[in-house]
């Protein structure tokens, strides 16, 4: 694809100038990360925003546990820098190594730690943003709680670039956990892996990450010590004093399933495992347009996943399933060309188990359609957002 | 409203759920602030369909609708200052579904927070938002304000526990947003945006809540200090040590004495400040955290450090904390409470300013704070009948808000803006932000009939 019009603003003023120009010239605008992840079809008038120059850490406030940072900073780089100083920003997504903080937040990309560590809104305390009406706004600050009249920050998170671009964030940080361990267990099928995951969430072990993957998903780890079968991947973190008991509790749960476990205690090894997992997932995602994101009820997931894993083979010989079992949400990534019934079959199975496809808009209700159109007009009166308020 | 309009409402709800006598209207002029404004009719809907039909009619007739739960809000958020309908949701108070395995509860908005907790506790679960008013306030009101509570430092606020809702828009249309599952199907999170909307964007008729398992163990500490500054410095230092307690509450000397007068626990009446600190988790984790907290307290000249030894003792400490706002009524006939929030390390500065303001205006001001969140509730005590004193209260509160903003704070951490803080809003936000908020409100409620002109002046 030829992309002519990539612009990389140096600061917020320049970003504002670009957006104002797009308004007056009726150009469409989107973030550069979309080129890899969403394969949009662009015309020569589309402006592609690259936030690469907006990558400075402005202030690390050690007293208040906040960091103020420009939105173009690479997500993973930010986490690494913070960890070196003893701070923790627990959001971690498949695009961490590739996408800017702004992209991750504006698209509310699913963090592996969603569930234990809440969602982006709990960590984004303040923003500076250039809206698609051309205004540069500043909202929030370093306050953990803020209900000063309508939550615009919350509305911007996940707005998928339909309202404006956040160019500056103040983030809430946590203390870096004393200790981390990763336990990876081999299960005979995805059903039992998911059953074990559900039991774990009820045990008070509070895993930071709790993923289940199908056999094909096991390859994302590229780890020779791990047998390829459906896996339960558990990251435990917290105080040293309770770590051994957490691991014991976990083993007690998986033992009846006869699932052998590999325990990783070395931080470098753990980092390596996640780097591989993230990177491989990202690569798979950048190659497909047929991704299915879904959520389900904890209690129905074991059966639903079993059926998905069994039936979808008929429509695509290989696909990876990854579930964040803390929130009962996951994705199915086809590894090749899918048959014409791929989406239909998935919907049928999900309906049977009251699962939900996550690309449906809540705005399908008639009343909300009007609300959405008015909301969009408030932020983007000239309709310069490439996505036009619709899903990619 | 004319009699034809009121009679029409009687065709929608049972006439016994409509009140129009002067005495009845008087009761709904108030909320937990000192502001007043009379409704023209009080309506208690019992079903979503009734809510929808009433809003359809109100929209058609341009009748203001002030939605109300228990009316315990502290921002004038349920004062029907433009007349119209006081829309009281307390009869829609059923817990419709508790699904422990999927960790979701479905309630009607009039459900009392404590009543829900009482249903969950025996099963080892809880709903984390726990405002001190939980015995009276409704979940609908909690969502309306995005209420917090003592344990929200670690567990977050109401926004973090709302998975979805059924809501009725100003036009009467019923929509369901979010779901009973743990993730919102739509990345654009309108569900969360509704939380804290103060009755201005829609009327919630069902709420899908996330519940949590109770932690295995907890430890509660009571620490007293000879100076509020030492206590507030302790707060910032504890978090700096890598500990996130569930609770970090602060009370100053005036409030310690009020609490002590009220329930007589044997609190140290001479202490300038008290911190109530709680940590939870697996039992092995707690002693280490308590040890670190103790050391931090000692570094900051703690006077007394006590760990509650029994569940009864823990309960008593919590009763003291939860009842202290009511207990101040013994000191002066009226109180007014702000809700400013500052970055945690600015607590000593704001507390110092509050003390100065109290001296300058000769007004007793008690300081109560969810200190871990930097969220302060300065309680100004006065006599409402003394007009001169009331004037001084307004000035003092304006200065407190101004100082909080100058420290990088915000007007409201958990009580909302309502009518009370509306005059200060332009001190916190630039005109373009206020304008945007106005447009958003009109996007939901084009005729501005829902809690009209609360938070900010919207106009038609
Ligand atoms: C003694 C005392 C202690 C308190 N402690 C705390 C505390 O610790 N933390 C805290 O955050 N607050 C606290 N509060 C404030 C208050 O209790 C909370 O704001 C509470 O959530 C209000 O609930 P309510 O049912 O009384 O709602 P109301 O006061 O009736 O309404 C609050 C807001 O919600 C809107 N609303 C109500 N129901 C609906 C609905 N169904 N649909 C749409 N909008 C609706 C109303 O229009 C209004 O704007 C305290 C108040 C008192 C008096």
């Amino acid at each position: 694809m030829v992309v002519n019009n990539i612009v990389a603003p140096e600061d917020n003023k320049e970003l504002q100038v670009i957006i104002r120009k797009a308004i007056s010239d009726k150009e469409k605008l989107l973030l550069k990360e979309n080129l890899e992840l969403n394969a949009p079809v662009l015309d020569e008038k589309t402006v592609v925003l690259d936030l690469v120059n907006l990558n400075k850490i402005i202030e690390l406030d050690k007293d208040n546990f906040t960091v103020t940072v420009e939105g173009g900073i690479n997500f993973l780089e930010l986490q690494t820098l913070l960890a070196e100083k003893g701070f923790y920003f627990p959001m971690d997504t498949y695009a961490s190594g590739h996408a800017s903080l702004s992209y991750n937040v504006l698209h509310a990309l699913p963090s592996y730690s969603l569930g234990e560590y809440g969602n982006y809104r709990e960590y984004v305390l303040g923003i500076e943003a250039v809206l698609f009406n051309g205004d540069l706004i500043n909202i929030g600050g370093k306050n953990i709680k803020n209900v000063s009249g309508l939550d615009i920050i919350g509305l911007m998170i996940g707005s998928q670039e339909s309202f404006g671009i956040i160019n500056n964030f103040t983030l809430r940080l946590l203390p870096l956990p004393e200790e981390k361990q990763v336990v990876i267990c081999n299960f005979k099928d995805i059903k039992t892996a998911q059953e074990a995951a559900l039991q774990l969430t009820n045990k008070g072990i509070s895993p930071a990450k709790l993923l289940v993957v199908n056999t094909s998903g096991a390859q994302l780890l590229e780890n020779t010590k791990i047998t390829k079968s459906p896996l339960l991947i558990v990251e435990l973190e917290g105080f040293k004093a309770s770590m051994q008991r957490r691991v014991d509790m976990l083993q007690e749960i998986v033992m009846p399933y006869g699932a052998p476990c590999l325990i990783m205690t070395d931080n470098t090894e753990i980092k390596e495992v996640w780097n591989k997992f993230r990177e491989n997932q990202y690569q798979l995602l950048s190659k497909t347009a047929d991704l299915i994101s879904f959520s389900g009820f904890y209690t129905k997931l074991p059966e639903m996943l079993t059926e998905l894993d069994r039936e979808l083979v008929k429509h695509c010989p290989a696909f990876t399933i990854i579930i964040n079992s803390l929130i009962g949400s996951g994705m199915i990534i086809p590894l090749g060309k899918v048959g014409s019934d791929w989406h239909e079959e998935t919907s049928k199975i999900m309906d049977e188990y009251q699962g939900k496809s996550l690309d449906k808009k809540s705005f399908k209700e008639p009343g909300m359609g009007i609300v959405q159109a008015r909301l969009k007009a408030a932020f983007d009166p000239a309709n310069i957002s490439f996505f036009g308020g619709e899903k990619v | 409203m004319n009699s034809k309009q009121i009679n029409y409402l009687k065709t929608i709800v049972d006439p016994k759920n409509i009140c129009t006598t002067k005495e009845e209207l008087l009761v709904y002029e108030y909320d937990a602030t000192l502001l007043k404004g009379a409704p023209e009719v009080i309506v208690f809907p019992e079903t979503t369909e009734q809510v929808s039909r009433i809003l359809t009619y109100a929209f058609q007739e341009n009748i203001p609708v002030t939605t109300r739960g228990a009316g315990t809000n502290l921002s004038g958020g349920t004062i029907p200052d433009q007349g119209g309908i006081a829309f009281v949701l307390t009869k829609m108070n059923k817990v419709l579904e508790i699904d422990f395995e999927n960790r979701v509860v479905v309630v009607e908005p009039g459900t009392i927070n404590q009543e829900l907790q009482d249903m969950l506790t025996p099963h080892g679960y809880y709903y984390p938002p726990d405002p001190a008013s939980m015995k009276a306030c409704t979940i609908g009101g909690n969502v309306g304000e995005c209420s917090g509570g003592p344990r929200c430092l670690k567990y977050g606020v109401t926004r973090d526990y709302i998975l979805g809702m059924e809501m009725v828009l100003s036009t009467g249309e019923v929509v369901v947003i979010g779901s009973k599952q743990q993730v919102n199907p739509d990345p654009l999170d309108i569900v969360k945006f509704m939380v804290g909307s103060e009755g201005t964007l829609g009327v919630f008729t069902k709420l899908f809540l996330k519940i949590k398992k109770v932690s295995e163990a907890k430890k509660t500490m009571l620490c007293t200090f000879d100076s509020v500054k030492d206590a507030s410095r302790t707060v910032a230092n504890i978090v700096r040590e890598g500990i996130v307690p569930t609770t970090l509450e602060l009370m100053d000397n005036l409030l310690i004495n009020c609490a002590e007068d009220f329930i007589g626990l044997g609190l140290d009446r001479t202490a300038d400040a008290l911190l109530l600190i709680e940590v939870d988790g697996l039992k092995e984790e707690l002693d280490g955290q308590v040890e670190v907290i103790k050391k931090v307290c000692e570094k900051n000249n703690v006077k007394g450090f006590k760990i509650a030894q029994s569940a009864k003792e823990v309960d008593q400490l919590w009763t003291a904390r939860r009842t202290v706002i009511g207990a101040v009524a013994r000191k002066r006939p009226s109180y007014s409470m702000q809700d400013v929030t500052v970055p945690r390390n600015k607590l000593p500065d704001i507390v110092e300013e509050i003390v100065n303001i109290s001296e300058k205006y000769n007004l007793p001001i008690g300081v109560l704070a969810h200190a871990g969140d930097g969220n302060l509730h300065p309680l100004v005590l006065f006599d409402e009948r003394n007009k001169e004193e009331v004037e001084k209260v307004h000035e003092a509160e304006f200065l407190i808000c101004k100082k909080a903003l100058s420290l990088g704070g915000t007007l409201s951490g958990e009580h909302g803006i309502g009518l009370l803080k509306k005059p200060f809003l332009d001190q916190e936000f630039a005109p373009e932000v206020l304008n945007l908020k106005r447009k958003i409100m009109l996007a939901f409620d084009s005729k501005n009939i829902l809690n009209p002109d609360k938070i900010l002046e919207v106009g038609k």
Side-chain angles (χ1 to χ4, degrees):
Chain A
M1 179 175 36
V2 185
V3 181
N4 300 323
N5 211 0
I6 298 189
V7 284
E10 293 286 337
D11 55 29
N12 57 8
K13 288 278 169 246
E14 230 177 273
L15 178 65
Q16 193 179 23
V17 169
I18 294 165
I19 289 180
R20 288 194 164 162
K21 184 176 168 297
I23 295 171
S24 61
D25 294 356
K26 300 197 174 358
E27 293 164 338
K28 293 278 179 192
L29 218 137
L30 80 169
L31 283 177
K32 188 174 165 239
E33 287 89 333
N34 290 295
L35 302 186
E36 277 190 21
L37 279 170
N38 295 316
V41 181
L42 309 181
D43 65 21
E44 68 284 0
K45 269 198 106 180
T46 307
V47 180
V48 178
L49 268 174
D50 186 351
L51 300 183
V52 66
N53 296 324
L54 299 176
N55 63 352
K56 286 180 277 306
I57 292 195
I58 296 164
E59 187 199 3
L60 177 62
D61 182 338
K62 296 184 177 173
D63 284 335
N64 290 307
F65 270 65
T66 61
V67 66
T68 303
V69 64
E70 289 183 330
I73 195 163
N74 178 281
F75 208 65
L76 195 58
E77 205 176 297
L78 171 66
Q79 277 157 337
T80 311
L81 285 170
L82 290 171
E84 279 164 13
K85 300 207 167 359
F87 294 95
Y88 190 35
F89 178 61
M91 296 290 111
D92 182 8
T93 77
Y94 57 79
S96 289
H98 291 264
S100 62
L101 177 61
S102 290
Y103 184 86
N104 274 287
V105 175
L106 283 169
H107 288 259
L109 293 190
S111 167
Y112 301 122
S113 59
L114 278 184
E116 177 59 13
Y117 282 110
N119 51 52
Y120 288 99
R121 183 62 189 95
E122 288 177 54
Y123 297 93
V124 179
L125 304 181
I127 57 167
E128 183 181 86
V130 183
L131 305 181
F132 288 160
N133 63 11
D135 287 341
L136 176 70
I137 61 163
N138 256 293
I139 321 176
K142 295 179 182 174
N143 305 296
I144 296 174
K145 277 160 57 180
N146 186 340
V147 292
S148 239
L150 300 186
D151 184 18
I152 292 183
I153 297 181
L155 199 57
M156 295 284 294
I157 295 170
S159 61
Q160 297 179 299
E161 302 169 46
S162 48
F163 294 158
I165 302 292
I166 305 177
N167 60 289
N168 204 317
F169 292 84
T170 297
L171 302 174
R172 177 185 185 180
L173 304 176
L174 297 175
L176 201 62
E178 254 179 30
E179 195 171 319
K180 221 179 242 252
Q181 294 200 11
V182 166
V183 183
I184 301 176
C185 310
N186 281 102
F187 279 78
K188 67 177 190 329
D189 52 41
I190 196 162
K191 180 168 182 269
T192 44
Q194 182 56 34
E195 276 170 9
L198 177 59
Q199 287 185 44
L200 270 170
T201 58
N202 280 326
K203 269 283 175 189
I205 303 177
S206 307
K209 293 175 186 159
L210 181 66
L211 304 183
V212 167
V213 297
N214 64 350
T215 306
S216 145
Q219 318 210 16
L220 298 177
L221 291 167
E222 276 183 45
N223 192 313
T224 48
K225 288 188 242 163
I226 296 162
T227 316
K228 306 287 176 285
S229 80
L231 300 179
L232 174 69
I233 309 172
V234 191
E235 180 160 280
L236 298 168
E237 55 188 26
F239 292 97
K240 277 197 177 81
S242 60
M243 190 54 80
Q244 191 50 51
R245 185 150 71 96
R246 282 172 201 247
V247 176
D248 292 346
M249 283 157 93
L250 188 158
Q251 287 187 312
E252 217 172 277
I253 287 167
V254 299
M255 192 134 59
Y257 295 100
C261 295
L262 174 74
I263 302 176
M264 296 177 179
T265 53
D266 176 52
N267 275 339
T268 321
E269 195 184 4
I270 291 173
K271 220 170 141 184
E272 186 82 343
V273 159
W274 286 119
N275 281 343
K276 290 233 167 85
F277 191 86
R278 258 188 237 109
E279 181 60 27
N280 288 328
Q281 188 183 353
Y282 182 85
Q283 294 306 337
L284 289 186
L285 285 168
S286 61
K287 279 184 212 127
T288 182
D290 292 299
L291 163 76
I292 290 168
S293 295
F294 65 91
S295 77
F297 286 107
Y298 296 123
T299 43
K300 299 202 185 281
L301 274 171
E303 302 290 347
M304 182 169 110
L305 293 171
T306 306
E307 203 161 324
L308 286 168
D309 207 22
R310 190 179 56 221
E311 296 301 318
L312 289 182
V313 189
K314 296 174 193 156
H315 308 279
C316 179
F319 53 87
T320 293
I321 302 183
I322 304 170
I323 305 118
N324 173 350
S325 298
L326 289 171
I327 52 169
S329 167
M331 47 176 72
I332 310 170
I333 317 170
L335 304 180
K337 230 176 129 38
V338 299
S340 54
D341 292 341
W342 165 259
H343 289 279
E344 201 182 305
E345 179 72 35
T346 318
S347 297
K348 205 178 92 199
I349 297 170
M350 287 204 294
D351 283 351
E352 195 184 329
Y353 295 96
Q354 294 167 297
K356 271 184 191 297
S357 159
L358 297 187
D359 53 12
K360 277 190 202 151
K361 293 208 90 79
S362 58
F363 288 121
K364 63 184 186 303
E365 290 78 13
M368 291 309 271
I370 301 166
V371 172
Q372 183 190 25
R374 292 200 198 115
L375 264 183
K376 168 85 175 132
F379 283 89
D380 181 12
N383 197 20
I384 61 165
S385 161
F386 181 82
F387 301 116
E390 294 304 318
K391 275 218 55 82
V392 182
Chain B
M1 288 176 72
N2 55 40
S3 56
K4 185 177 152 237
Q5 289 172 324
I6 292 176
N7 283 336
Y8 185 78
L9 296 179
K10 287 183 185 160
T11 66
I12 301 174
V13 298
D14 187 332
K16 77 173 191 306
N17 287 333
I18 301 238
C19 306
T20 48
T21 69
K22 207 168 153 215
E23 294 73 21
E24 288 164 332
L25 296 179
L26 194 70
V27 181
Y28 289 88
E29 274 184 12
Y30 297 88
D31 56 20
T33 61
L34 297 172
L35 303 169
K36 276 187 216 163
E40 291 161 273
V41 58
I42 307 156
V43 180
F44 296 87
E46 289 184 300
T47 64
T48 302
E49 196 207 335
Q50 291 177 358
V51 171
S52 165
R53 288 182 62 197
I54 287 167
L55 289 187
T56 306
Y57 185 64
F59 188 79
Q60 180 193 311
E61 299 283 309
N62 270 314
I63 301 168
V65 178
T66 304
T67 307
R68 182 181 172 112
T72 67
N73 75 86
L74 289 156
S75 55
T78 47
I79 303 293
D81 62 327
Q82 299 194 12
I85 301 171
F87 207 28
V88 188
L89 277 280
T90 47
K91 290 198 176 179
M92 290 179 70
N93 61 353
K94 287 186 276 303
V95 175
L96 299 171
E97 191 182 333
I98 301 183
D99 181 345
F100 290 113
E101 281 187 301
N102 288 303
R103 266 161 274 147
V104 63
V105 166
V106 182
V107 297
E108 289 186 328
T111 305
I112 306 271
N113 184 307
Q114 181 72 57
E115 287 175 7
L116 172 64
Q117 308 285 4
D118 291 345
M119 293 168 94
L120 301 176
T121 312
H123 301 271
Y125 284 84
Y126 71 115
Y127 169 65
D130 61 338
S133 53
M134 65 202 280
K135 283 201 169 135
C137 65
T138 65
I139 303 288
N142 297 168
V143 178
E145 302 290 6
C146 187
S147 297
R151 53 186 172 220
C152 70
L153 172 62
K154 183 165 177 186
Y155 291 114
V157 290
T158 299
R159 192 197 295 121
D160 306 315
Y161 293 91
I162 308 300
L163 300 171
M165 60 180 65
E166 177 188 84
M167 124 178 120
V168 185
L169 298 172
S170 66
T171 51
E173 268 169 292
V174 181
V175 294
V176 178
I177 54 174
S179 80
K180 285 191 251 172
Q181 291 168 10
Q182 303 284 320
V183 267
N184 190 337
D186 193 340
L188 177 64
D189 207 337
I190 295 289
V191 175
K192 293 211 166 25
F193 187 66
M194 296 309 296
V195 186
S197 57
E198 302 192 31
T200 63
L201 305 183
V203 177
F204 322 132
T205 45
K206 276 188 196 119
L207 295 155
F208 312 151
L209 317 176
K210 181 157 100 178
I211 54 172
K212 266 183 101 76
K213 263 225 108 91
V214 175
S215 295
E216 181 183 88
K218 67 178 179 187
K219 289 228 157 144
T220 310
M221 291 151 268
L222 182 72
C223 323
T224 49
F225 294 83
D226 272 335
S227 108
V228 186
K229 263 194 141 173
D230 282 339
S232 36
R233 213 175 296 115
T234 304
V235 171
N237 292 357
I238 287 173
V239 183
R240 225 182 141 159
E241 287 297 324
I243 292 173
V244 185
T246 36
T247 297
L248 247 173
E249 299 282 297
L250 182 148
M251 267 189 229
D252 72 354
N253 177 272
L254 192 147
L255 297 183
I256 294 172
N257 278 287
C258 286
E260 196 49 26
D261 290 345
F262 190 51
I263 49 172
L265 271 186
L267 299 173
D268 180 355
R269 284 180 180 275
T270 64
D272 229 24
L274 161 165
L275 285 182
L276 180 63
I277 309 175
E278 201 162 271
V279 287
D280 74 351
L282 293 178
K283 50 183 186 290
E284 300 86 332
E285 296 167 353
L286 302 187
D287 286 344
Q289 292 184 64
V290 169
E291 212 33 57
V292 174
I293 291 172
K294 189 165 179 222
K295 277 199 187 118
V296 172
C297 288
E298 279 163 2
K299 250 194 213 158
N300 286 295
N301 315 314
V302 70
K303 191 178 178 201
F305 182 92
K306 194 177 158 209
I307 302 170
Q309 296 301 334
S310 64
K312 189 171 164 222
E313 230 179 295
V314 173
D315 273 356
Q316 285 173 333
L317 289 174
W318 276 110
T319 307
R321 165 59 188 87
R322 290 199 202 282
T323 54
V324 70
I325 298 176
V328 297
R330 295 172 161 221
K331 286 265 176 226
R332 301 294 312 270
S334 327
Y335 72 80
S336 179
M337 182 153 93
Q338 286 294 333
D339 174 38
V340 291
T341 303
V342 294
R344 207 161 28 226
N345 71 340
K346 300 293 182 197
L347 268 177
D349 304 75
I350 185 88
V351 168
E352 190 177 343
E353 182 72 1
I354 292 170
V355 172
N356 291 341
I357 291 171
S358 166
E359 279 165 11
K360 180 175 167 198
Y361 289 96
N362 193 23
L363 283 170
I365 306 183
V367 177
L368 178 69
H370 306 301
D373 308 323
N375 184 198
L376 286 104
H377 297 321
L379 272 148
V380 187
L381 311 189
F382 64 106
D383 185 342
E384 201 188 351
R385 293 160 299 188
N386 180 340
K387 294 295 161 231
E388 206 179 305
E389 220 177 26
V390 171
E391 232 4 83
K392 286 202 290 183
V393 174
H394 290 321
E395 281 177 40
E397 292 197 319
F398 179 68
L399 290 180
I400 293 172
C401 289
K402 227 173 139 179
K403 181 68 182 178
L405 293 177
S406 78
L407 293 169
T410 173
L411 290 171
S412 180
E414 57 181 20
H415 294 168
I417 299 297
L419 287 176
L420 196 69
K421 284 159 255 178
K422 191 169 115 175
F424 307 147
L425 207 65
D426 61 359
Q427 306 273 321
E428 181 165 349
F429 297 103
E432 51 272 25
V433 176
L434 294 177
N435 220 354
L436 181 66
K437 292 191 182 207
R438 209 168 273 126
K439 284 186 183 158
I440 293 173
M441 287 164 100
L442 286 169
F444 281 84
D445 176 18
S446 59
K447 287 192 174 176
N448 188 23
I449 61 160
L450 293 180
N451 229 349
D453 299 323
K454 297 279 162 50
I455 303 179
L456 46 81
E457 216 64 43
V458 175
K460 299 286 173 197

